[in-house]
Amino acid sequence: MTTPPSFRKVNPADSPVMFLAMTSDTHPLSVVDEYTETMLAQRISTISGVAQVQVYGAQKYAVRVQLDPNLLAARGVSLEDVSQAISSGNVNLPTGTLYGSERAYTIEANGQLADAAAYRPIIVAYRNGAPIRLNELGRVIDSVQTDKVAAWFNDKRGILLAILRQPGTNTIELAEAVRNLLPGFQEQLPAGMKLELLFDRSQSIRESVDDVEFTLLLALALVVMVIFLFLRTLSATLIPSLALPLSIVGTFAAMSLFGYSLDTLSLMALTLCVGFVVDDAIVVLENISRHMEVGKTALQASLDGAREIGFTVVSMTVSLIAVFIPILFMGGILGRLLHEFAVTIMVAVLVSGFVSLTLTPMLCSRMLKPHGGGRFHHLTERFFVGWRDLYDESLKWVLRHQRVTLIGFIILTVMTGWLFTSMPMGFLPDDDTGQLFAFTEAAQDISFDAMVEKQQQAAAIIAADPNVAATMSFIGANGSSQSLNVGRIFSRLKPRSERESVPKIIAELRPQLEKITGLKVFLQNIPVIRIGGRLTKSQYQYTIQDADIGELYGWAPRLTEQLAKAPGFQDVTSDLQLNLPKIQVEIDRNKASVLGVSPQAIENTLYNAYGSRQVSTIYTSTNEYWVIMELLPEFQLDPGALGSLYIRSSNGALVPLNAVASISHSVGPLSIAHQGQLPAVTISFNLQPGVALSDAITTLEEIKAQLRIPDTVIGSFQGEAQAFQSSLSGMGLLLLASVVVIYLVLGILYESFIHPLTILSGLPTAGLGALLTLLVFRVDLDIYGFVGVIMLVGLVMKNAIMMIDFALDAQRTQGMAPADAIYQACIVRFRPIMMTTMAALFGTLPIALGLGAGAESRQPMGLTVVGGLAVSQLLTLYFTPAIYLYLDRFSSSSKPRLIAVTT
């Protein structure tokens, strides 16, 4: 059974799946609200996967009794008398049944009053034998339950409805279910009432998935092109190319078994896999081709080549899988984000390794032919031979100058470490999902009508922007907004091809909105993933707490002021509002006691006058409605009107309020926030374009130290900033754990403590290339970029494995000297290394270009992989042989000492 959602409760951490708007040119808003909440929201709540339905701008029908205090005093009637008269005049009680000898009769009475017209004749009291009716003391009108809230769709008043999904629910399926419901519901609406779809989050998800699928196909085409350029025959190109669809189909089967969905993260994992799932097949194919070049038949070459390269393929496959093992055991936001991503890659690599050791040799034995003598082949062969000869000569120079090479390696390693510590770091990239959100804030003492005027000015400016397709706006003290001076504006942007980027739109709108006098507008790019924290006016939050509320309220404005002046910060504000004007009613208890007036009677009178008090309820077959009592609006404008209030004393006399109380003016907090049972103030801020979150956190800590804020004031980041802080150590440990796991796996495979270090020696150059690429393109190192660095660990290691495995085999089976063995390994493995690297690089290039919907999150990962591969490919071809020789000499010199110790 589906649990009905709570309609008016707002969870700030959730992001609505859809926004709907109900408007009408011919019906009052109370009728629109009736159809929205009672009918539409109830139907949507029955859809599987709906967690909550939020209604904004609710205008539920109510009867308002608005009284004139002067008329009340003149007739000798108190507000309490009116309340009791309304309550007793509108009743809906069981009246019983008559059981006759033949029939039974249900007794019904007309005690229930249904509308304002029925309430006007109610007799409140008798004076001089004449009745005083309710309509003689003011006016009774058909109104709404909450008249201090308002919502607009574009420039039209309406009721807005937001739909939130349950965790784990498929957004596209839920959106489809809601869409299928809307046409039938629209047909049932009265003429003149219109239901419109403002926003559908599934559309941006579809666009993002479509772009990832295109990127996947483009990467597939580029990889096949690279294979063809190196192998230059269709039959040879087809063999490793078949590993791609088979690996992807096998990965889909495993994803279905694990219950994974086809989302942007899993598709991004598959796109990254395109570049290196063919690596194993390329290595096997190239080795078989090399055996055929010495005159062996295709069958014999396939058997010998696969046998010779089998251990190398197993080593590369197992090592690349091992890179992602630590991710599977991660907790927190990093673990939840990357778990499915890691499993997808691990499965794809495992399937590709199996295909390369089974299908690839079989296809080679049947389809592989000796290279032809075509013109294209001879032309490209000269190019490849010249390329290899150039590497041959430069490698000889490097091996003759090993000390210089080692010094260069050490320098680059130090540079990599320095870059990691000084690199601007972010958490999650700002995806462009086609949405724009704005908080509006006015003076704390602003009236509702004035707030409506300023809110409409801001909404009109945003709606007039050519990049905006539709806008909804709402104000009022309900839901997550507990104050009248705060409003919100949500905008759906036009398709990406027809507009600017969200940061550019914000930059264009900000100066226009700053011209609105008395209103601050805080624009936000809505994140795809909202992580904890409160719904604040800016993206990042910092909360300070103190048991001493005076000290807390003293330091919070000073810290906010200094942050607003700091470079890199913008839209700095806080939820501390201390200047709300208040009317203080000081009760003189001695006078009140003498006159027979209790404090309870005084406060009840004030509530009856100004609290929009519900004094009765109208029950219908489908709903219930309030009867609200208050003073006429003109008596709610001036604090001086309090003097005209009269309280019924215990002896029946009417006592004026100013006879038992004094009235004074003061200011106080609009609200007091708490966190962990302590008073708290949350400071929120945005960052200027190009400013990294890591730099902003450092600046904030420096400002705190400069202000010398006492230790009793506890400060902590919230939401995304807090998750970023915890992820900093988590990402470093993740990288370290990946390296340790690979070292252990390689140590087991090669039965050596030394050779795994040789294989891992390419990591510093890969990290250097990745970080330099991010710096060049001015992209922060965020979570996705860090995952790209982890992937580099596996990719760079595969190239080293091909060289080291060949050299070790040459030393063991042919008795070659270490220098000759590693030299021969570099030359023989040069072509497969270049093929696999170029395939991985071109397979990742579409991601690095950052094109299409959701590309902002994919681009850092693509840039790190492309940049790291390009630099490491150039440098490891020289560093790895030199380090191999150094470590081999170290291993040989340490063996006698180890033997001596053991004996």
Side-chain angles (χ1 to χ4, degrees):
M1 181 180 296
T2 303
T3 304
S6 55
F7 295 144
R8 300 183 194 275
K9 184 179 179 183
V10 178
N11 184 354
D14 291 330
S15 181
V17 173
M18 302 182 78
F19 276 111
L20 305 175
M22 188 90 79
T23 58
S24 176
D25 296 324
T26 58
H27 297 81
L29 287 175
S30 59
V31 176
V32 178
D33 181 81
E34 189 77 21
Y35 278 90
T36 302
E37 184 170 2
T38 305
M39 299 178 63
L40 178 58
Q42 290 287 356
R43 291 191 188 183
I44 292 175
S45 69
T46 62
I47 296 175
S48 177
V50 173
Q52 189 180 87
V53 179
Q54 303 168 356
V55 178
Y56 297 96
Q59 300 289 328
K60 191 174 182 180
Y61 173 77
V63 172
R64 283 188 176 268
V65 180
Q66 298 177 332
L67 303 171
D68 186 330
N70 295 325
L71 292 176
L72 290 173
R75 303 296 178 89
V77 177
S78 69
L79 289 171
E80 189 65 28
D81 297 336
V82 176
S83 175
Q84 291 176 0
I86 294 173
S87 179
S88 60
N90 176 49
V91 292
N92 186 11
L93 300 174
T95 48
T97 306
L98 290 178
Y99 296 98
S101 58
E102 300 289 337
R103 295 179 179 178
Y105 300 89
T106 299
I107 302 174
E108 273 191 11
N110 61 342
Q112 176 77 71
L113 304 178
D115 55 20
Y119 282 85
R120 293 178 186 128
I122 289 179
I123 299 175
V124 178
Y126 284 89
R127 295 292 180 268
N128 300 323
I132 299 175
R133 300 186 183 274
L134 191 58
N135 60 347
E136 299 175 12
L137 301 173
R139 64 188 181 197
V140 184
I141 58 174
D142 294 310
S143 182
V144 291
Q145 182 173 304
T146 308
D147 61 353
K148 295 298 185 289
V149 297
W152 296 266
F153 174 65
N154 292 330
D155 58 348
K156 186 182 297 184
R157 282 289 297 271
I159 310 297
L160 304 175
L161 187 146
I163 304 166
L164 279 71
R165 68 181 182 90
Q166 295 176 354
T169 303
N170 188 293
T171 301
I172 294 179
E173 292 179 357
L174 178 59
E176 284 292 332
V178 175
R179 280 178 173 272
N180 293 336
L181 175 68
L182 299 184
F185 187 82
Q186 178 69 61
E187 293 176 359
Q188 300 174 20
L189 292 177
M193 195 175 295
K194 191 174 183 181
L195 175 62
E196 298 183 72
L197 176 63
L198 170 63
F199 171 72
D200 182 357
R201 190 181 178 189
S202 68
Q203 291 181 343
S204 63
I205 295 176
R206 291 178 187 275
E207 291 175 2
S208 181
V209 171
D210 290 342
D211 280 310
V212 175
E213 289 176 349
F214 172 76
T215 304
L216 177 62
L217 294 175
L218 179 59
L220 179 63
L222 290 174
V223 169
V224 172
M225 179 194 71
V226 169
I227 295 173
F228 176 76
L229 289 177
F230 274 91
L231 300 180
R232 291 155 289 166
T233 61
L234 292 177
S235 60
T237 303
L238 179 64
I239 293 171
S241 299
L242 288 175
L244 281 171
L246 289 175
S247 299
I248 292 175
V249 170
T251 305
F252 282 156
M255 290 172 62
S256 177
L257 183 64
F258 294 147
Y260 293 164
S261 60
L262 196 63
D263 53 22
T264 52
L265 275 177
S266 58
L267 281 172
M268 184 164 59
L270 288 173
T271 305
L272 288 168
C273 289
V274 167
F276 56 80
V277 292
V278 295
D279 285 3
D280 297 339
I282 289 174
V283 171
V284 172
L285 173 66
E286 194 280 334
N287 204 54
I288 293 174
S289 298
R290 191 167 54 85
H291 280 268
M292 288 184 64
E293 290 173 359
V294 297
K296 294 182 181 179
T297 63
L299 178 60
Q300 191 61 42
S302 300
L303 292 173
D304 295 343
R307 186 183 302 111
E308 181 182 54
I309 204 69
F311 182 77
T312 303
V313 171
V314 171
S315 299
M316 292 191 300
T317 301
V318 173
S319 300
L320 189 54
I321 291 175
V323 170
F324 295 94
I325 289 177
I327 295 179
L328 303 181
F329 299 96
M330 288 192 66
I333 183 64
L334 274 177
R336 293 195 297 272
L337 274 176
L338 302 179
H339 186 275
E340 184 173 333
F341 176 86
V343 172
T344 302
I345 289 183
M346 293 169 72
V347 171
V349 172
L350 183 63
V351 173
S352 70
F354 176 78
V355 169
S356 65
L357 292 176
T358 53
L359 180 66
T360 301
M362 186 274 291
L363 292 176
C364 287
S365 66
R366 299 292 187 270
M367 300 173 57
L368 193 60
K369 306 296 181 185
H371 291 300
R375 186 174 180 181
F376 176 74
H377 179 271
H378 288 300
L379 180 64
T380 53
E381 184 67 19
R382 287 199 299 269
F383 171 77
F384 288 131
V385 170
W387 193 6
R388 186 190 61 192
D389 292 342
L390 178 62
Y391 172 63
D392 188 355
E393 294 299 323
S394 57
L395 178 62
K396 290 177 181 178
W397 186 92
V398 167
L399 294 180
R400 289 196 300 266
H401 301 82
Q402 296 179 32
R403 182 171 298 177
V404 176
T405 305
L406 183 62
I407 293 173
F409 173 77
I410 294 174
I411 293 174
L412 292 181
T413 302
V414 173
M415 287 180 58
T416 303
W418 176 78
L419 278 177
F420 261 116
T421 57
S422 59
M423 185 76 184
M425 302 189 74
F427 185 57
L428 290 172
D430 293 330
D431 279 340
D432 188 338
T433 57
Q435 309 170 67
L436 185 64
F437 185 76
F439 262 107
T440 58
E441 182 182 14
Q444 297 172 41
D445 60 347
I446 193 170
S447 67
F448 177 73
D449 292 336
M451 185 64 190
V452 168
E453 180 183 354
K454 295 184 182 301
Q455 181 79 2
Q456 288 183 310
Q457 289 182 40
I461 291 174
I462 294 176
D465 190 280
N467 301 289
V468 176
T471 299
M472 75 174 188
S473 171
F474 37 93
I475 60 172
N478 71 335
S480 62
S481 177
Q482 298 301 321
S483 57
L484 187 63
N485 68 324
V486 175
R488 283 162 288 174
I489 302 173
F490 176 90
S491 301
R492 172 171 56 86
L493 304 178
K494 292 180 179 178
R496 292 173 63 96
S497 59
E498 303 175 17
R499 61 172 171 85
E500 304 285 352
S501 64
V502 174
K504 197 166 184 180
I505 296 172
I506 292 176
E508 293 174 353
L509 285 173
R510 183 174 277 116
Q512 300 179 52
L513 295 169
E514 289 175 352
K515 297 177 181 178
I516 303 176
T517 305
L519 188 73
K520 296 180 180 179
V521 183
F522 303 90
L523 295 167
Q524 294 184 33
N525 179 13
I526 299 179
V528 176
I529 304 172
R530 185 181 293 277
I531 302 172
R534 299 173 182 170
L535 185 61
T536 54
K537 304 177 189 72
S538 303
Q539 183 175 0
Y540 305 106
Q541 302 102 41
Y542 184 78
T543 298
I544 58 175
Q545 299 173 267
D546 196 330
D548 185 345
I549 197 169
E551 188 174 54
L552 176 67
Y553 288 172
W555 283 106
R558 297 175 61 184
L559 180 58
T560 304
E561 181 183 359
Q562 292 301 315
L563 278 179
K565 297 177 181 178
F569 288 81
Q570 63 183 9
D571 299 332
V572 180
T573 184
S574 76
D575 61 358
L576 180 62
Q577 301 189 72
L578 299 176
N579 299 319
L580 178 68
K582 291 188 176 182
I583 303 298
Q584 193 73 32
V585 179
E586 294 288 344
I587 301 173
D588 189 331
R589 294 179 180 268
N590 292 327
K591 288 184 179 180
S593 179
V594 171
L595 296 175
V597 177
S598 67
Q600 181 181 5
I602 295 174
E603 295 203 359
N604 268 332
T605 299
L606 292 170
Y607 188 19
N608 286 331
Y610 304 108
S612 296
R613 187 171 195 170
Q614 178 191 2
V615 294
S616 187
T617 304
I618 302 171
Y619 296 98
T620 67
S621 58
T622 59
N623 213 329
E624 58 182 55
Y625 308 96
W626 289 7
V627 180
I628 298 171
M629 187 176 73
E630 61 188 4
L631 295 187
L632 285 165
E634 54 264 34
F635 292 98
Q636 300 187 43
L637 301 176
D638 185 4
L642 272 71
S644 62
L645 293 180
Y646 284 79
I647 303 107
R648 180 76 66 185
S649 68
S650 58
N651 57 16
L654 287 178
V655 178
L657 178 64
N658 54 16
V660 293
S662 60
I663 299 171
S664 61
H665 296 262
S666 65
V667 294
L670 186 61
S671 62
I672 299 177
H674 287 76
Q675 181 169 302
Q677 299 183 344
L678 286 177
V681 175
T682 297
I683 301 171
S684 58
F685 58 91
N686 287 328
L687 300 179
Q688 294 179 358
V691 177
L693 180 56
S694 58
D695 296 337
I697 291 177
T698 302
T699 302
L700 193 150
E701 296 294 347
E702 291 173 353
I703 291 175
K704 279 187 60 183
Q706 293 171 4
L707 291 175
R708 297 183 180 179
I709 297 178
D711 295 337
T712 54
V713 180
I714 306 170
S716 61
F717 288 96
Q718 304 297 321
E720 188 169 330
Q722 182 187 42
F724 168 77
Q725 277 193 313
S726 62
S727 69
L728 280 178
S729 58
M731 289 191 290
L733 291 175
L734 176 62
L735 180 59
L736 178 62
S738 298
V739 174
V740 171
V741 170
I742 290 177
Y743 177 81
L744 295 175
V745 169
L746 292 174
I748 294 171
L749 290 174
Y750 288 97
E751 299 179 353
S752 170
F753 294 105
I754 299 298
H755 295 306
L757 295 177
T758 309
I759 295 172
L760 294 173
S761 63
L763 299 186
T765 57
L768 179 66
L771 298 179
L772 287 176
T773 304
L774 292 178
L775 286 175
V776 169
F777 287 91
R778 297 182 179 180
V779 176
D780 295 343
L781 179 61
D782 56 22
I783 286 180
Y784 296 119
F786 213 90
V787 172
V789 173
I790 292 174
M791 287 196 62
L792 277 176
V793 173
L795 295 176
V796 174
M797 176 191 59
K798 294 176 74 171
N799 293 338
I801 286 176
M802 281 191 277
M803 288 190 290
I804 303 304
D805 190 61
F806 186 95
L808 291 176
D809 184 68
Q811 286 183 255
R812 292 168 183 164
T813 60
Q814 304 177 31
M816 282 189 182
D820 295 334
I822 192 63
Y823 168 77
Q824 191 68 22
C826 291
I827 300 302
V828 172
R829 296 296 193 206
F830 177 74
R831 186 168 67 171
I833 288 175
M834 296 306 300
M835 287 179 64
T836 55
T837 301
M838 296 301 290
L841 195 149
F842 275 88
T844 316
L845 187 60
I847 301 176
L849 294 176
L851 304 176
E856 295 83 2
S857 59
R858 302 193 297 267
Q859 189 176 28
M861 186 181 297
L863 288 174
T864 53
V865 174
V866 170
L869 279 176
V871 174
S872 65
Q873 179 61 52
L874 176 64
L875 297 178
T876 54
L877 286 172
Y878 301 102
F879 285 147
T880 300
I883 293 173
Y884 175 84
L885 295 178
Y886 268 104
L887 291 179
D888 184 80
R889 286 196 294 269
F890 172 79
S891 176
S892 301
S893 63
S894 62
K895 285 181 181 179
R897 288 197 294 271
L898 291 174
I899 295 173
V901 171
T902 55
T903 56

